[in-house]
Amino acid sequence: MFRPNENFNILPPNYLFSEVARRVADFRSQNPGAGIIRMDIGDVSLPLPQAAVSAMRKAVGEMAYAATFRGYGPEQGYEFLRRAICDNDYKGRGLDHISPDDIFISDGAKSDLGNIGDLFGSGLTIAVCNPGYPVYVDANVIDGNAGILRDGRWSRLVSLECPAESDFKPTLPTQDVDVIYLCFPCNPTGVALSVTEIQEWVDYALAHDSLIIFDSAYEAYVSEPGIARSIYEAEGAEKCAIEIRSFSKTAGFTGLRCGYTVVPAALRFAFSNGETASLRNMWNRRQSTKFNGVGYPVQRAAEALFSPEGQAEIRHNVSCYLENARILRDTLESLGFETTGGINSPYVWFRDMNGKGSWELFDLLLHECHLSSTPGVGFGSAGEGCIRFTGFNSRKNTLRTAERLKEKLL
Ligand SMILES: *Cc1c(COP(=O)(O)O)cnc(C)c1O
């Protein structure tokens, strides 16, 4: 008799996005003339860089002829792309200890974040930031690592609280944890950590034999000196950290799908019989078993992002989004909101100083300004009272948002 995975039965529904959609739809039906601006989107709006489009067209052309056709590629990704990533994102930034063999191409960061738990032993203590990207918790619930939900808390997860009082930054756990998920620059708060701050987490992981899963989907937005783009900028991180990256927010690949995960050769733990567990070998085995690689044209498109033209286009797009974020941040600050993000991140996170709840603020923004936003509490209880605005909308809509905020809330 088939029995379903009971963990799906304890996984709460994805209430946040459906509730936002419901409230927006309700408001729209009562106010048909209102032009609502979507400041809640987590998707990019600028088109693919031309360098990627040209490379993909050429690759599709190759696929049309028997002499240049490509079928199954290597499960880890083509060498040309792994080398381009290594040369540019690691060696090119002084991180010589990462090699192309440590890099695994995937169809995006979300898949890898969801799948990485295949490497975890049972009964581990897993720590996640609150607020945080919901995938870390939900994937661990599905895998049976989270325990049960009691008063809004998962009994077997450690919540790394990131409250406003500590600038939405996590503090080191006071108990032993085995796995730590970190995402900086952070979605949703936009907070970024310096290399010195990241080093504290690496030192903790090295001292406790724990594994860090570092989500750096937003590394391209780092614009201040001293802020970490890669966890491997911290000393010893290759012995305790897996880094997961994506071309989605960097190069508009949200619809094309390509990312990569770095599992350094130095990442070694012990199996229960004392044999060495190389996480790189394990991930290679896992991917070769459950994954058959990313499309050849997509990998050629990703490779082209590292050409001088591709790099210039990425820089242009990222600076457009950062300028949007700056406009939002400055406007909100001038209206008396406390903000974070918007400097090394496309997201601006803010709270009302009079103690309004996230949904109360959401409704105010929707009803008064006709703006849709993302309630911070949807990313965890420590996000209560906060709102996330996106810098991914068009400049025109960003400027209209700033006008509406000043007009209605000043
Ligand atoms: C968007 C996002 C991802 C997902 O990226 P994909 O490569 O499109 O799957 C991962 N992590 C964070 C924090 C994100 O915001």
Side-chain angles (χ1 to χ4, degrees), residues 133-146:
Y133 187 58
V135 175
Y136 317 137
V137 171
D138 289 0
N140 278 297
V141 173
I142 291 172
D143 288 349
N145 297 330

Side-chain angles (χ1 to χ4, degrees), residues 123-349:
L124 299 183
T125 304
I126 296 169
V128 290
C129 292
N130 174 15
Y133 187 58
V135 175
Y136 317 137
V137 171
D138 289 0
N140 278 297
V141 173
I142 291 172
D143 288 349
N145 297 330
I148 54 166
L149 190 60
R150 220 187 282 119
D151 304 325
R153 289 185 170 272
W154 290 99
S155 58
R156 283 180 45 211
L157 296 184
V158 170
S159 177
L160 301 171
E161 303 290 320
C162 307
E165 302 77 59
S166 55
D167 300 325
F168 298 102
K169 291 177 183 179
T171 39
L172 291 174
T174 47
Q175 69 197 103
D176 277 8
V177 300
D178 307 310
V179 179
I180 303 164
Y181 286 84
L182 296 176
C183 173
F184 292 98
C186 175
N187 177 12
T189 64
V191 168
L193 295 187
S194 68
V195 177
T196 318
E197 287 169 315
I198 291 283
Q199 185 69 55
E200 288 179 22
W201 289 89
V202 168
D203 290 345
Y204 174 95
L206 291 172
H208 293 79
D209 275 331
S210 29
L211 175 69
I212 296 175
I213 308 295
F214 193 73
D215 181 348
S216 64
Y218 295 92
E219 58 89 17
Y221 292 85
V222 169
S223 45
E224 290 183 314
I227 298 294
R229 299 181 70 152
S230 166
I231 193 157
Y232 303 117
E233 289 173 55
E235 223 166 292
E238 73 282 3
K239 298 193 196 87
C240 65
I242 288 174
E243 179 156 283
I244 299 182
R245 287 192 174 184
S246 170
F247 296 109
S248 284
K249 316 298 173 17
T250 309
F253 272 44
T254 50
L256 205 52
R257 311 305 305 143
C258 195
Y260 57 92
T261 283
V262 185
V263 190
L267 209 45
R268 288 163 182 278
F269 293 85
F271 286 116
S272 57
N273 67 359
E275 285 175 29
T276 302
S278 154
L279 293 199
R280 188 175 85 174
N281 291 351
M282 288 163 63
W283 188 245
N284 192 33
R285 187 74 169 83
R286 189 263 170 225
Q287 292 296 82
S288 308
T289 302
K290 295 192 181 180
F291 185 61
N292 247 340
V294 177
Y296 171 68
V298 174
Q299 293 194 58
R300 281 297 187 197
E303 179 195 25
L305 299 173
F306 295 104
S307 65
E309 304 76 42
Q311 289 287 293
E313 287 179 272
I314 285 180
R315 269 198 302 275
H316 175 263
N317 290 3
V318 165
S319 63
C320 280
Y321 296 137
L322 282 174
E323 176 62 10
N324 288 346
R326 188 198 62 77
I327 291 167
L328 295 170
R329 184 185 159 102
D330 286 357
T331 305
L332 289 161
E333 292 264 328
S334 74
L335 294 171
F337 291 99
E338 189 174 277
T339 73
T340 58
I343 295 176
N344 299 295
S345 161
Y347 298 119
V348 180
W349 177 257

Side-chain angles (χ1 to χ4, degrees), residues 16-17 20-21 24 28 36-46 133 187-188 218 221 249 254 321 324 328 345-348 362 371-375 379 387-395 397-398 401:
L16 175 65
F17 295 102
V20 166
V24 170
R28 211 176 246 140
I36 296 165
I37 304 178
R38 298 294 303 267
M39 296 311 286
D40 57 324
I41 49 167
D43 200 351
V44 294
S45 55
L46 293 169
Y133 187 58
N187 177 12
Y218 295 92
Y221 292 85
K249 316 298 173 17
T254 50
Y321 296 137
N324 288 346
L328 295 170
S345 161
Y347 298 119
V348 180
F362 172 90
L371 298 172
S372 151
S373 60
T374 313
F379 297 98
I387 289 283
R388 190 192 73 178
F389 265 174
T390 179
F392 285 139
N393 214 317
S394 64
R395 178 62 47 80
N397 278 339
T398 304
T401 297

